[in-house]
Amino acid sequence: MSRRIGVMGGTFDPIHHGHLVAAEEARWQFDLDTVVFVPTGQPWQKPVGVSPAEDRYQMTVIATASNPAFTVSRLEIDHQGPTYTVDTLRRLRAEQPEGTRLFFITGADAVLQILTWKEPDQVLALSEFIAATRPGFDLDSLVNQVPGAAGRVHRVDIPALAISSSDVRGRVARGAPIQYLVPDGVARYIQKHRLYRGPAGG
Ligand code: NAP
């Protein structure tokens, strides 16, 4: 059988248990051999800054260390300048044997924006998509809106995605606990490096 690789794309600022549940559920439901987490490089579409790439990468490594099917790639964070999913998928595909199927896993909100991405038709040709949704999310509109999405965009419902990175950052900023929302090692990393202490959790 051909290899099936999950590519878990996200800012991961910080990575939390919702992301980890989503990746493991996708691995299981889609029979993936491995899931490669790819923290984003410079977020050119975001109006406000995010934490340094190295911090986001380190937290992702810590969070995924105990799962033998999970790895973390520096592909985007080591890239100078803006990064685009289409380029990441091309590079990952070039590293894999012929016939490998890629499944790009990310949040459904992000998938809904796919028409604004670079070369959306190529993105969908290179990889199938697994949209991780918070309960109640309507993904049908996406499949109707995006040419080429039919049969290429799958959805997984992840109740644990009620956890969000912005909520974790806000909680740190106001001194609320984040235990059980993020892995212990990630909570310790945030504390040690004094991340998210600004007024807006920045
Ligand atoms: P985002 O706008 O920060 O996140 C959108 C929503 O999706 C948030 O609710 C977020 O929750 C959730 N989310 C993000 N990554 C997730 C994941 N892996 N699993 C489950 N939920 C996730 O999105 P982003 O993180 O910047 O971008 C997501 C991916 O799309 C990245 O790989 C990025 O490179 C790609 N992208 C590509 C382009 C392009 O090629 N032009 C443009 C935009 C995005 P949390 O905040 O809790 O994570």
Side-chain angles (χ1 to χ4, degrees), residues 16-202:
H16 52 66
H17 278 130
H19 297 129
L20 295 164
V21 171
E24 180 61 9
E25 184 67 16
R27 186 198 65 73
W28 177 69
Q29 280 196 28
F30 292 85
D31 201 16
L32 306 176
D33 295 292
T34 184
V35 178
V36 186
F37 285 65
V38 186
T40 55
Q42 185 181 327
W44 63 277
Q45 283 188 323
K46 291 214 165 149
V48 290
V50 299
S51 301
E54 199 61 40
D55 284 328
R56 295 183 289 107
Y57 171 78
Q58 293 293 345
M59 289 190 284
T60 307
V61 169
I62 290 166
T64 54
S66 63
N67 190 323
F70 290 174
T71 61
V72 188
S73 167
R74 297 187 63 95
L75 204 60
E76 293 200 358
I77 68 161
D78 283 346
H79 181 87
Q80 297 298 312
T83 50
Y84 302 98
T85 298
V86 69
D87 301 326
T88 301
L89 291 171
R90 279 195 182 113
R91 289 185 60 181
L92 288 172
R93 176 159 287 289
E95 290 169 4
Q96 298 301 326
E98 192 76 21
T100 300
R101 281 174 73 181
L102 298 184
F103 294 79
F104 192 82
I105 311 159
T106 197
D109 302 1
V111 176
L112 277 180
Q113 300 297 318
I114 204 167
L115 281 178
T116 69
W117 296 11
K118 183 183 166 194
E119 301 178 47
D121 50 338
Q122 279 304 304
V123 169
L124 278 162
L126 283 160
S127 178
E128 291 173 58
F129 269 66
I130 300 174
T133 69
R134 299 185 163 97
F137 195 92
D138 173 21
L139 195 66
D140 292 345
S141 58
L142 168 82
V143 177
N144 298 333
Q145 275 171 45
V146 181
R152 302 283 289 168
V153 180
H154 317 282
R155 118 183 223 167
V156 285
D157 284 327
I158 308 292
L161 280 176
I163 304 171
S164 74
S165 296
S166 61
D167 180 52
V168 171
R169 294 194 301 271
R171 293 181 70 85
V172 174
R174 59 179 191 275
I178 58 169
Q179 198 183 17
Y180 310 127
L181 299 177
V182 301
D184 288 346
V186 171
R188 282 197 291 275
Y189 188 98
I190 290 168
Q191 188 177 30
K192 180 174 172 182
H193 295 271
R194 303 185 61 79
L195 300 181
Y196 315 128
R197 296 294 176 90

